[in-house]
Amino acid sequence: AQTVTQSQPEMSVQEAETVTLSCTYDTSESDYYLFWYKQPPSRQMILVIRQEAYKQQNATENRFSVNFQKAAKSFSLKISDSQLGDAAMYFCAYRRVLSDMRFGAGTRLTVKP
Amino acid sequence: GAVVSQHPSWVICKSGTSVKIECRSLDFQATTMFWYRQFPKQSLMLMATSNEGSKATYEQGVEKDKFLINHASLTLSTLTVTSAHPEDSSFYICSARGGGGTDTQYFGPGTRLTVL
């Protein structure tokens, strides 16, 4: 069974600073996808970034980047120049190709002005 | 990007009644839809996966007779909570994936169910 672990229930960052959210996963598959989703108070799931396991290059989306370590099964999210609007729950997720998505427990990010 | 809608966004019902939640893919055909449940301050837990025209596949521990899922068309899936009880109060989120080799999964805005 695939599991996703987020070991940080809560994180805090000063506005304009950088923060890293951790995620590890367990799988026996070689081809899969990894995601980071943001869930603001509205509860709408917003895709932040996506990584295909076969790609060695780390995905980046503006201020968001990941550190994908396939051998270590680690997938951390780095948020640079943090903004007040980044405050939310962040979920790490795993999905096999053409299968369902499994989520970690989530990390609540607070951004201090 | 593709849009998934849910209706209603919030529903309150009495214990013992049934509630139906609709999930629609507005601008694409969803061959597969997923239903998740999220309790307060917890993560999303997959309840079931449904493919258009087929019976839904339920996760272990999810009562198929209580949570009826119908995926009768490529743009609509419904979740009916039968004989709802207060412990069924939760946030229900649907997600849809398109066909034709598209592997992207899109999420609806969720439905808050409160059972009195």
Side-chain angles (χ1 to χ4, degrees), chain A residues 33 35 37 39 41-45 47 50 89 91 95-106 108, chain B residues 4 34 36 38-44 46 49 59 91 93 97 101-105 107-110 112:
Chain A
Y33 303 99
F35 307 84
Y37 278 89
Q39 189 181 44
S42 68
R43 312 278 300 259
Q44 171 74 59
M45 297 293 283
L47 177 64
R50 162 184 167 137
M89 281 292 290
F91 292 100
R95 179 162 65 85
R96 288 180 300 160
V97 177
L98 292 177
S99 186
D100 56 81
M101 194 174 292
R102 305 286 171 153
F103 292 87
R108 180 172 300 282
Chain B
V4 176
F34 308 90
Y36 292 84
Q38 185 179 29
F39 290 109
K41 298 185 178 181
Q42 294 189 22
S43 186
L44 284 74
L46 181 67
T49 301
E59 294 298 301
F91 195 68
I93 302 174
R97 185 175 68 214
T102 301
D103 202 21
T104 302
Q105 196 168 325
F107 286 85
R112 183 183 303 277

Side-chain angles (χ1 to χ4, degrees), chain A residues 25-41:
Chain A
Y25 58 96
D26 183 32
T27 184
S28 58
E29 303 289 330
S30 60
D31 196 12
Y32 50 87
Y33 303 99
L34 295 166
F35 307 84
W36 278 98
Y37 278 89
K38 172 184 178 182
Q39 189 181 44

Side-chain angles (χ1 to χ4, degrees), chain B residues 42-98:
Chain B
Q42 294 189 22
S43 186
L44 284 74
M45 299 301 295
L46 181 67
M47 299 175 65
T49 301
S50 71
N51 291 295
E52 186 265 338
S54 303
K55 288 185 178 181
T57 302
Y58 291 81
E59 294 298 301
Q60 190 172 7
V62 178
E63 300 175 58
K64 60 180 66 177
D65 293 331
K66 181 169 186 60
F67 298 99
L68 302 179
I69 292 173
N70 183 284
H71 190 173
S73 78
L74 287 172
T75 59
L76 174 64
S77 176
T78 60
L79 168 66
T80 301
V81 182
T82 62
S83 186
H85 289 96
E87 56 266 30
D88 299 323
S89 298
S90 186
F91 195 68
Y92 293 86
I93 302 174
C94 77
S95 180
R97 185 175 68 214

Side-chain angles (χ1 to χ4, degrees), chain B residues 11-37:
Chain B
V11 57
I12 302 173
C13 69
K14 292 182 178 180
S15 184
T17 62
S18 295
V19 175
K20 180 183 286 187
I21 302 170
E22 292 186 349
C23 175
R24 294 181 184 274
S25 57
L26 299 185
D27 50 3
F28 69 101
Q29 293 184 328
T31 54
T32 305
M33 286 188 170
F34 308 90
W35 286 95
Y36 292 84
R37 180 167 53 184

